[in-house]
Amino acid sequence: MGSTSEPNRLSRRGLIQRAAALGIVAVPAAGLLSGCASSGGGTKQENGTKTATNPFGVVETAPLDVVIFDGGFGDDYAKRFEAMYRTEHPKAKVSHTATQNITGLVQPRLNAGDPPDIIDDSGNQQIKLDVLEKAGQLTDLTPLLQAPSVDDPSKKVSDILMPGTVDLGTVNGKFVTLQYVYTVFGLWYSGKLFKQHGWSEPKTWDDFISLGAEIKKAGVAPFAHQGKYPYYIDVAIMDLAIKNGGTDFLTRIDKMDPTIWDEDPARNAIEAIYEIVQKDYLLPGTNGMTHIESQTAWNQYKAAFIPCGAWLENEQLKATPSDFEMTFMPMPSLSGDKMPFQAIRGGANEPYIVPRQAKNAAGGMEFMRLMLSKKGATAFAQAANSLTVVKDGVDPSVKLRPGTQSTVTALKAAGANVFNPTYVTDYSAFATDMDNASAELMANRMKPDQWLKTVKASAQKAAKGGS
Amino acid sequence: MRHRKYPFIVGFLFVPVVLYTVLMVWPYIQTFGYSLTDWSGESQTMHFVGLKNYTTLFGDTVFREALLHNVLLLVFLPVITILLALFFAFMLNVGGRGTTGGVQGVRGSGFYRVVFFFPQVLSVAILAVLFEAVYRSDSGGLLNGILVKIGLENPQNPIEWLNDPGTVLWCLLAIVVWQGVGFYLVLFSAAMQSIPREVFEAALLDGAGRGQTFFRVTMPLLWDSVQTAWVYLAIAAMDFFALVSTLTPGTAYGGGPDYHSEVLSTYLMRNFLFYGKSGYACAMGVVILLITLVVSVFALRVTRRERIEF
């Protein structure tokens, strides 16, 4: 298991609003230039007395400034958290800001030394965590891990988290972000469509390809992907490669070892994906579609499989027919895979941060501690149809939607075989280069050989230091 | 009283000049300062790196590609928009049948004027949503839908307008032309109406056809307006940020497929906000400013003609 990988994946989830939101930001050249202007500044932090129920010493009257990314999860869940905070600190004024443009809102405040107290740093306009950490803008959240948990004060917060959460929140050796949402990534299909045609879940890639021929005969396109945002197909490619090459491959890609692109796992994976292109299994036009366009076409039974993360169900809530039976499955196995079929990419994402210069940093951490209570986790599952990093956090009386339920099942089946590469956040320029190459491959303008060469060249550049 | 003139003028100019300096000039200078550092954009910690950002910039193939696209737009956007706008303005004002009533526009010109101007009132956000539907990559899109209906295209193999390296930039150009023509049409119409009717009538009496009237009479008399339009459009061609970042594929501000629609402003933004290379992005900003300045001066110089009094 690596560390921090997922924020970028989830950030794509916010793309629904992205198209519209970005359009408004029509910045002329002069505006871009003045955007670079800045001013310095500093702040004073207040501290109250620390007690068992107030482990961070929150000042009763200190206002709390919350900024939430208003994406696929909405911001209703945050209002529930805020209500919990208000109950605990009735004298504190809690302000709530929801935005799709985290950078635009937060970056000037960081530079001015007057940041919010807690930020959901997600979405397409996310401020990169590696960049923030290097700039010394993040509070070390180790005290949060050491603090007693809300539900059972005899347990520390670190004891109630899903495995890997601390790793994923660690940037350059420091635990600075709370990755709150637990997500898995794989292929999705409609249980109803499969039952109707008598198809069954393909366990190997060969099965997948032969089932594809059958699906095509039935007049459905076997595969759709979110072509405008090649990130999704990248995840599918890399998951095939990681399952094929095992832990060794995973460690080396995260270390940005360029030699892995000469080896079999990478080649096997890209050739497998290219088969989809060659056999013409793609939904017509899918390469140019936004995630919403392609996912909606999939919801309309125009395509059988689509790769995505567990946010898919919440994102497609309105477009999904009630009898669709959204179902999750791991990426099928290639021959010679080092990991079993059940292995999936899974991990925490949706990074919450407390800026170093926040006036009420203690309040920000207390807010996180409340998020990590069972009440918080259940509120999130209800308001956002997603699981959190709180172990067994959801009240069993809460009924989950079929897609979310199928991810819970898959996660249980995977056991310890959950992996999570980190190169996406650590090497953003490399990830972008891979995005571009994969888009070219899917459009059949690039062959697997060229793809490997392009990605390797970019990896070599990234390994030299220009991330 | 003459000696009181200068304090009087200074009194009026003081506030605007201060505002302009603080809000415009100072940020430009700051940007230049940042362009000499390795600023990440997220804090005030940075190191002086001299001209390194600029030397890197000239070896950056993506930057060169983006520059090439801006240059292409710079050439085609003004030419196409101005020619179309001039043609339509001419038809609406003097292109009608020369009857005994004198010189007039084609029938229904008042209606056309409103129709042509209509796209101009749409905001860029609406344009992006609208053209996402027009250029949609399957038969659900307006363009592909029509092509499929009339049998020119196989629905199994639609044209992915915005995901095709050969079409993407021209598709974007078409949007801006579509939106811009109406505005310049009104600009040119106003200018044409200020040309005395007698000039056109005299040309007609001398036996000039529509084409001759256009090139020999209308164009020279409209030169000032064309010049203005040229400068505006050149500046617009240096931007293109909103459309590229919303409509084209690619991570963080579009520019795809594989940089085939990358423009300077999107590449700047990706470096500034996504890669955390803000110092480098500021260097880009300075270069873009210089290019825009040169283009504007060039456009004004080249198109300078003697003014015709009438």
Side-chain angles (χ1 to χ4, degrees), chain B residues 231-300:
Chain B
V231 174
Y232 277 153
L233 286 164
I235 291 171
M238 291 304 293
D239 179 14
F240 262 74
F241 177 78
L243 289 180
V244 172
S245 62
T246 47
L247 286 173
T248 63
T251 307
Y253 310 104
D258 203 20
Y259 305 119
H260 281 99
S261 64
E262 192 81 87
V263 291
L264 295 171
S265 50
T266 50
Y267 192 51
L268 183 156
M269 281 298 265
R270 191 171 317 117
N271 276 283
F272 189 76
L273 294 176
F274 193 70
Y275 294 159
K277 292 186 193 166
S278 299
Y280 188 51
C282 286
M284 245 177 251
V286 172
V287 172
I288 296 174
L289 170 72
L290 289 178
I291 295 172
T292 316
L293 275 181
V294 168
V295 166
S296 311
V297 170
F298 183 76
L300 285 170

Side-chain angles (χ1 to χ4, degrees), chain A residues 208-437:
Chain A
F208 178 82
I209 293 296
S210 52
L211 177 64
E214 231 177 285
I215 294 172
K216 231 184 141 178
K217 252 183 246 158
V220 179
F223 195 80
H225 77 117
Q226 299 81 341
K228 192 178 171 189
Y229 308 109
Y231 165 80
Y232 293 81
I233 197 68
D234 271 352
V235 172
I237 296 168
M238 291 316 293
D239 283 2
L240 285 173
I242 290 166
K243 283 170 79 160
N244 195 242
T247 328
D248 164 63
F249 185 87
L250 179 65
T251 332
R252 283 163 63 208
I253 183 174
D254 284 344
K255 283 189 192 142
M256 205 36 71
D257 175 354
T259 59
I260 56 168
W261 305 106
D262 297 326
E263 293 170 14
D264 281 342
R267 175 168 294 278
N268 294 343
I270 196 65
E271 281 177 352
I273 292 289
Y274 189 61
E275 252 180 285
I276 299 179
V277 181
Q278 267 183 321
K279 293 216 151 66
D280 200 18
Y281 279 1
L282 289 176
L283 172 73
T286 193
N287 289 327
M289 286 187 187
T290 65
H291 58 308
I292 292 300
E293 284 168 353
S294 53
Q295 286 161 192
T296 305
W298 170 76
N299 274 144
Q300 292 161 349
Y301 306 109
K302 285 182 187 155
F305 291 103
I306 194 162
C308 198
W311 61 83
L312 179 67
E313 185 159 52
N314 200 54
E315 190 167 69
Q316 293 300 105
L317 220 47
K318 282 184 194 142
T320 311
S322 58
D323 58 349
F324 190 79
E325 279 180 66
M326 201 178 277
T327 317
F328 170 87
M329 66 171 278
M331 287 303 287
S333 303
L334 298 173
S335 56
D337 264 11
K338 295 220 171 80
M339 288 187 188
F341 165 71
Q342 287 81 5
I344 43 175
R345 182 187 287 221
N349 48 57
E350 196 79 6
Y352 288 76
I353 52 171
V354 177
R356 158 102 31 104
Q357 303 180 64
K359 289 191 199 70
N360 191 7
M365 277 199 268
E366 179 61 19
F367 190 86
M368 285 180 172
R369 196 173 74 101
L370 292 172
M371 284 164 67
L372 294 170
S373 68
K374 290 205 169 172
K375 198 175 161 201
T378 307
F380 192 80
Q382 280 173 324
N385 289 310
S386 295
L387 304 178
T388 69
V389 293
V390 184
K391 242 189 259 169
D392 296 321
V394 184
D395 188 333
S397 62
V398 175
K399 195 172 174 283
L400 298 171
R401 289 178 178 277
T404 314
Q405 189 58 55
S406 71
T407 58
V408 175
T409 317
L411 200 55
K412 239 178 228 161
N417 288 308
V418 180
F419 56 88
N420 212 336
T422 61
Y423 70 91
V424 182
T425 31
D426 294 352
Y427 300 92
S428 43
F430 168 76
T432 310
D433 285 344
M434 195 199 276
D435 283 357
N436 287 332

Side-chain angles (χ1 to χ4, degrees), chain B residues 174-194:
Chain B
I175 301 175
V176 180
V177 169
W178 177 81
Q179 195 211 14
V181 162
F183 177 77
Y184 294 100
L185 174 131
V186 170
L187 184 78
F188 296 148
S189 285
M192 273 182 201
Q193 274 156 12
S194 71

Side-chain angles (χ1 to χ4, degrees), chain A residues 12 18-19 23 30 33 36-38 103 107 111 125 127-128 131 135 137 228 285 287 289 432-433 435-436 445, chain B residues 28 30-31 34 41-44 137-138 160 163 165 241 246 248-251 253 257-259 269 273-275 282:
Chain A
R12 266 51 168 204
R18 173 197 191 195
L33 280 172
C36 301
S38 73
T103 296
Q107 191 173 22
N111 275 311
Q125 307 286 323
I127 309 180
K128 305 291 280 180
V131 177
Q137 289 285 11
K228 192 178 171 189
N287 289 327
M289 286 187 187
T432 310
D433 285 344
D435 283 357
N436 287 332
R445 288 191 291 263
Chain B
Y28 281 122
Q30 267 192 317
T31 304
Y34 283 128
E42 313 297 347
S43 81
Q44 291 296 307
S137 55
D138 65 359
E160 292 166 356
N163 190 40
F241 177 78
T246 47
T248 63
T251 307
Y253 310 104
D258 203 20
Y259 305 119
M269 281 298 265
L273 294 176
F274 193 70
Y275 294 159
C282 286

